[in-house]
Amino acid sequence: MPSMPHSSDPDEPSPVPGGRPNWLVSTLVVLVCLAVVASGWGVARLTVGGSLRPLGAAEAPASPHPRDVSAGADPEDAGAYVEAAAELVEGSPAFHITFRVYDGGSAPRDGGEAPVPGAGDPPADDAPTGTGPYTAGLGEAVYASGAEPEFDHTFTTEGGRSVYRYDMGGGQLMMTADRGLELLDPPSTADRYLCSPGFGAAKLREVLDTSTDLALTGLEEVRLERPGLRSTHSAYRYTGTFTAVLGGYDPEAGSNTLTTVEDAEFELWIDEGGYPRRLDYRAADGVGESYEYHSFS
């Protein structure tokens, strides 16, 4: 299926390994109206550390930051500036985000300098263990209002197995893995999180909802380092701790999953125009993610 258009360069190659099934375009419209249940999907389960626990649908912590802030917020007001950035993402008719997931295979933080998540390419298969962050997988999220699909979320494990998630518009959510295409009706909380455009601002909302020590540390240059998408932005850097939501896939149940990563330390960069550019977070056991926000329109 052709890649979703994005404002930076519609011809740029997808940074995520693994191609989309080329039969999907011709069958997607018909299958939107059907529930095709796939069995035996071979996507590997994400191994997670002890800081994770199942996320209940009823969990809705009170936010320590107000949500009535509009664009034009003062960067020194950390909560207001992150809120404004979330609103910009949610109001964008198109965006392109890439991300990495780390499953804790690297050594836990011991007070020393942690490796920078998201830098360079994934470690080679024969790379020595314990010498850097273990990459559980790479992902990409692309949204374009009015396109088919409107939202396209791809995740590829380090072993090369992929899960494709789609929002066809109007709340029609779909997913496919090694084989089979499923209409998610009714969608679960995990389906709505991973298969819809709200994914774009989800991490910003989690910072607002759960961080009590969000703080501005200064203005600096931040690099986006995905191959083919490298760029540098002048951005405000925010730090703190929060409770993150980590998406996954359970091949035995054939379903999307959500778990929480508690007490995760984060670094968030928001540019001078108010758009997020990068978010890195890690828990003490090494579980975490890195997000790069490449383009908006």
Side-chain angles (χ1 to χ4, degrees), residues 231-260:
S231 60
T232 302
H233 303 267
S234 179
Y236 298 99
R237 177 175 176 262
Y238 297 90
T239 61
T241 57
F242 78 133
T243 298
V245 177
L246 181 60
Y249 176 75
D250 183 344
E252 295 181 5
S255 60
N256 291 313
T257 63
L258 295 179
T259 51
T260 56

Side-chain angles (χ1 to χ4, degrees), residues 91-129:
S92 295
F95 59 71
H96 183 196
I97 299 169
T98 58
F99 62 95
R100 284 182 170 158
V101 178
Y102 303 92
D103 74 351
S106 58
R109 289 177 176 170
D110 57 4
E113 186 69 22
V116 177
D121 295 323
D125 292 339
D126 58 352
T129 57

Side-chain angles (χ1 to χ4, degrees), residues 30-289:
V30 174
L31 290 174
V32 163
C33 302
L34 302 174
V36 180
V37 179
S39 60
W41 290 3
V43 177
R45 183 195 303 270
L46 179 65
T47 303
V48 293
S51 67
L52 302 180
R53 59 184 175 82
L55 179 69
E59 294 183 77
S63 172
H65 305 285
R67 288 195 170 184
D68 57 354
V69 181
S70 60
D74 184 349
E76 294 188 0
D77 186 341
Y81 207 64
V82 175
E83 170 67 33
E87 291 178 356
L88 281 175
V89 176
E90 291 164 347
S92 295
F95 59 71
H96 183 196
I97 299 169
T98 58
F99 62 95
R100 284 182 170 158
V101 178
Y102 303 92
D103 74 351
S106 58
R109 289 177 176 170
D110 57 4
E113 186 69 22
V116 177
D121 295 323
D125 292 339
D126 58 352
T129 57
T131 60
Y134 178 84
T135 304
L138 304 176
E140 177 180 39
V142 184
Y143 170 65
S145 178
E148 290 189 8
E150 285 195 346
F151 179 73
D152 184 343
H153 178 291
T154 304
F155 181 77
T156 301
T157 69
E158 68 154 5
R161 293 181 174 181
S162 299
V163 182
Y164 304 94
R165 303 174 173 101
Y166 307 100
D167 185 340
M168 298 303 298
Q172 299 255 24
L173 307 183
M174 304 189 77
M175 178 177 69
T176 183
D178 282 351
R179 59 182 183 272
L181 186 67
E182 181 181 3
L183 176 65
L184 303 172
D185 185 22
S188 67
T189 300
D191 296 337
R192 289 191 295 270
Y193 184 97
L194 292 167
C195 303
S196 61
F199 180 86
K203 284 291 171 289
L204 303 177
R205 292 296 179 193
E206 290 155 27
V207 168
L208 289 167
D209 285 343
T210 65
S211 178
T212 58
D213 57 354
L214 171 66
L216 172 67
T217 62
L219 180 67
E220 61 186 39
E221 298 295 300
V222 60
R223 293 181 300 164
L224 307 187
E225 298 176 338
R226 286 300 297 273
L229 296 169
R230 290 184 173 94
S231 60
T232 302
H233 303 267
S234 179
Y236 298 99
R237 177 175 176 262
Y238 297 90
T239 61
T241 57
F242 78 133
T243 298
V245 177
L246 181 60
Y249 176 75
D250 183 344
E252 295 181 5
S255 60
N256 291 313
T257 63
L258 295 179
T259 51
T260 56
V261 185
E262 297 180 341
D263 299 321
E265 298 181 9
F266 69 86
E267 295 176 288
L268 168 64
W269 289 266
I270 302 176
D271 70 22
E272 293 178 284
Y275 287 96
R277 288 300 171 183
R278 183 164 175 166
L279 170 68
D280 298 334
Y281 76 87
R282 291 292 187 89
D285 59 4
V287 173
E289 294 177 285

